[in-house]
Amino acid sequence: MSVLMQEMSEKALALGVPLSVQLDLTYRCNERCVHCYLDHDDHGEMTTAEIKYLLDEMAEAGVFILTISGGEIMLRRDFFEILEYARRLTFCIKLKTNAVLIREREAARIRDLGVESVQVSIYSHRPEVHDAITLVPGSLKRSLDAIRFLKSQGLKVIIANVLMTENMQDYQGVRALAEELGVNSTLDPTVTPMMDGNRSTVRLGVDESALKQVFRDQSLVGDVDEFCAVAASPSEDQMQALPCSAGHTAAYVSPYGDVYPCVQFPLPSGNVRKQRFIDIWKHSDQLREVRSIRLKDLPSCSQCAHGSTCTRCPGLAFMEGNMRGPSTQDCEKSFARTGIPSANLLSRKPAAANLVQIRALPTLAGATA
Amino acid sequence: MSKLYIARSPKLAARSLDGEMMIMSGADSTLYTLNKTATIIWQAADGKTSLQEIVEHRIVPEFEVEAGAALQDAEALARELAGHGILQVSEEPIPQPNSAAGEAR
């Protein structure tokens, strides 16, 4: 984040302005990615008119950065009508798509509408791996063709890769591909549980040894010693710090109008079909609770060696059952990075078994006494 | 001094935050912020109102400044913003396509 954007975020935070919103237009998708956290059936998406009304409300509320995502956004027949309307309201628009349906014509239209960036999911440089994740034969080729169309229009494209056991060996290949295409790339080692709480997708994530390998890859993390260093205990200021922007300057709206703090934080906080967006943002009890939480309020994390550097996601913690609790996936990342177990991981060690072993010793001692 | 007309460039993202305009250039994702005076000028930049009228009707009453000096400053600002590609400047009115006439709030 640029210094100026940081300043604007701080100002928005002080003013209570939702600076950025992710709006999912649909959960329907033309791919079936094995790690996807969504239910792809349509349970009553917002209409074009409802979405336009919401965009008006969000512009009025001060939303500047609008990420339009899904599902696959291009499956909405009114996608370009919505995009054009949003641009007329001068949002800074970022698109997330698998790009399978983007050809020359669509790329030119996206360029003409002044979209800031287009993020495309690519899981491998090898079709047999990427297509096995999307479950759509030929999808890698189509997505890469689309990236070339978008690039040829001068658009900023970002390749987003999710690290899983299935594609662990390919992340460098994806990075090389991104370089060849002249686009940026990101790598996310977190597989999100499904929004309904089903955690089966999490098992697709990489194990500790793979995480260690990734966190020691200089080409990804820069200075490995610095990245993997154990930080000092959190300072008083850090104890007062906010966990992340979710619910503070950022929000998420589902295709059904449900408002959440973040796409990865499925705490229902209101619905724009029943209330104005700004009223939900300002007065929702759920968002107020999220905003009240500081590091010092987290029973386990405030006592943890990683308190000042942990990437703890409050949404993942919420999906584990407690928004003030630890996010075990982030504990595992801190452990893989530093070799020091988090307070949460320590508390999960089989202490009872150890105690049984210790209890057995007096018996032995008694036998020799 | 000839009249100048100014218009917002069409491919920008913009939002007012507490009276100061945030502007993101789609071309290179550079973020700009405008102070309150520049924000008023930018918001009034509809391509058909001259800069002189904007200064006389929007800036002078608001900030109680001398009109000649304010116009000089405004012209310098307009040319600087034009240099960054976020404002169009012309000695003729600048026609605005309907779809590009953003409603920055």
Side-chain angles (χ1 to χ4, degrees):
Chain A
M1 189 187 286
S2 72
V3 174
L4 195 51
M5 185 51 93
Q6 181 65 35
E7 273 178 33
M8 290 299 105
S9 296
E10 284 167 15
K11 192 170 174 184
L13 180 67
L15 294 166
V17 171
L19 196 61
S20 79
V21 167
Q22 175 168 328
L23 169 63
D24 280 1
L25 297 181
T26 179
Y27 286 160
R28 289 174 290 127
C29 195
N30 48 1
E31 292 185 339
R32 283 292 178 273
C33 298
V34 293
H35 62 289
C36 185
Y37 52 86
L38 296 172
D39 162 9
H40 296 300
D41 291 334
D42 177 359
H43 298 285
E45 293 169 5
M46 283 187 283
T47 63
T48 314
E50 284 177 315
I51 289 175
K52 286 182 177 177
Y53 186 76
L54 171 62
L55 292 172
D56 283 335
E57 287 190 321
M58 292 198 300
E60 199 65 43
V63 175
F64 180 44
I65 297 165
L66 178 66
T67 302
I68 300 181
S69 183
E72 173 45 46
I73 52 179
M74 302 291 290
L75 288 185
R76 286 279 305 215
R77 289 178 189 277
D78 54 1
F79 168 70
F80 278 108
E81 185 180 347
I82 291 167
L83 182 58
E84 192 173 328
Y85 193 83
R87 279 296 297 130
R88 214 175 294 147
L89 294 169
T90 65
F91 288 105
C92 171
I93 302 214
K94 298 169 185 276
L95 301 179
K96 290 185 179 180
T97 171
N98 59 37
V100 162
L101 295 174
I102 295 177
R103 320 309 292 170
E104 291 101 325
R105 197 167 66 96
E106 289 78 16
R109 207 155 168 208
I110 290 169
R111 187 270 324 271
D112 288 345
L113 287 168
V115 165
E116 193 270 336
S117 62
V118 184
Q119 180 180 300
V120 182
S121 306
I122 299 289
Y123 306 114
S124 171
H125 57 298
R126 295 183 293 159
E128 63 270 28
V129 176
H130 177 91
D131 296 357
I133 289 172
T134 64
L135 303 182
V136 176
S139 56
L140 178 63
K141 182 181 182 315
R142 290 194 63 129
S143 294
L144 293 180
D145 286 348
I147 290 173
R148 292 187 181 98
F149 295 141
L150 292 163
K151 272 298 289 179
S152 72
Q153 295 293 337
L155 281 155
K156 179 176 163 191
V157 180
I158 301 154
I159 283 180
N161 185 11
V162 177
L163 195 67
M164 293 171 276
T165 307
E166 205 164 336
N167 65 350
M168 170 62 200
Q169 301 309 318
D170 291 3
Y171 73 87
Q172 285 294 11
V174 174
R175 283 166 57 82
L177 181 62
E179 199 167 320
E180 181 191 319
L181 292 165
V183 305
N184 291 327
S185 65
T186 63
L187 180 64
D188 187 351
T190 304
V191 179
T192 308
M194 295 187 75
M195 286 186 95
D196 63 4
N198 181 335
R199 300 186 65 81
S200 60
T201 50
V202 176
R203 287 197 291 271
L204 300 169
V206 294
D207 63 13
E208 184 194 323
S209 68
L211 267 182
K212 276 184 178 168
Q213 181 189 326
V214 168
F215 288 160
R216 281 156 188 76
D217 183 335
Q218 194 180 1
S219 68
L220 284 177
V221 304
D223 185 331
V224 174
D225 289 338
E226 191 181 327
F227 183 78
C228 295
V230 182
S233 298
S235 64
E236 202 49 44
D237 281 352
Q238 285 168 324
M239 281 290 188
Q240 296 291 340
L242 305 174
C244 72
S245 62
H248 295 274
T249 56
Y252 166 72
V253 185
S254 82
Y256 314 123
D258 295 311
V259 178
Y260 302 101
C262 168
V263 66
Q264 204 163 256
F265 196 158
L267 171 68
S269 304
N271 187 292
V272 295
R273 283 169 157 162
K274 296 175 185 162
Q275 284 175 280
R276 293 195 316 150
F277 173 79
I278 192 63
D279 289 336
I280 296 169
W281 176 258
K282 282 189 173 170
H283 306 303
S284 148
D285 289 342
Q286 293 81 4
L287 291 179
R288 277 187 180 157
E289 184 181 4
V290 168
R291 286 177 195 137
S292 72
I293 300 172
R294 301 290 181 275
L295 176 57
K296 67 179 174 55
D297 303 318
L298 311 178
S300 175
C301 300
S302 63
Q303 306 301 314
C304 181
H306 302 297
S308 60
T309 54
C310 181
T311 55
R312 174 186 176 275
C313 168
L316 290 176
F318 172 75
M319 283 192 268
E320 276 188 47
N322 180 4
M323 71 169 89
R324 290 177 177 78
S327 147
T328 301
Q329 283 168 281
D330 290 301
C331 294
E332 287 165 351
K333 279 191 258 176
S334 291
F335 179 53
R337 191 170 53 80
T338 63
I340 308 289
S342 69
N344 170 42
L345 293 182
L346 281 172
S347 71
R348 288 174 174 219
K349 282 202 164 180
N354 288 339
L355 285 174
V356 169
Q357 200 174 359
I358 291 165
R359 272 195 207 114
L361 290 172
T363 312
L364 286 173
T368 56
Chain B
M1 194 182 290
S2 58
K3 266 189 175 180
L4 274 191
Y5 293 86
I6 56 174
R8 300 186 290 273
S9 297
K11 287 190 181 173
L12 301 172
R15 191 69 72 231
S16 172
L17 184 61
D18 195 27
E20 295 186 353
M21 193 61 74
M22 296 177 283
I23 297 176
M24 176 86 82
S25 159
D28 58 4
S29 301
T30 306
L31 181 69
Y32 302 90
T33 58
L34 305 183
N35 65 21
K36 291 190 178 177
T37 319
T39 295
I40 290 172
I41 293 172
W42 196 83
Q43 282 179 316
D46 59 6
K48 56 190 178 194
T49 311
S50 72
L51 185 58
Q52 187 176 341
E53 288 172 89
I54 294 170
V55 168
E56 281 172 8
H57 298 302
R58 307 288 302 275
I59 301 295
V60 172
E62 176 80 19
F63 298 97
E64 294 178 359
V65 287
E66 194 271 311
L71 182 57
Q72 266 192 342
D73 289 350
E75 282 195 9
L77 172 76
R79 292 192 193 284
E80 189 188 338
L81 296 182
H84 291 297
I86 59 179
L87 202 64
Q88 297 166 283
V89 177
S90 169
E91 292 182 1
E92 302 291 330
I94 306 164
Q96 293 294 288
N98 285 337
S99 62
E103 300 165 19
R105 303 184 200 197

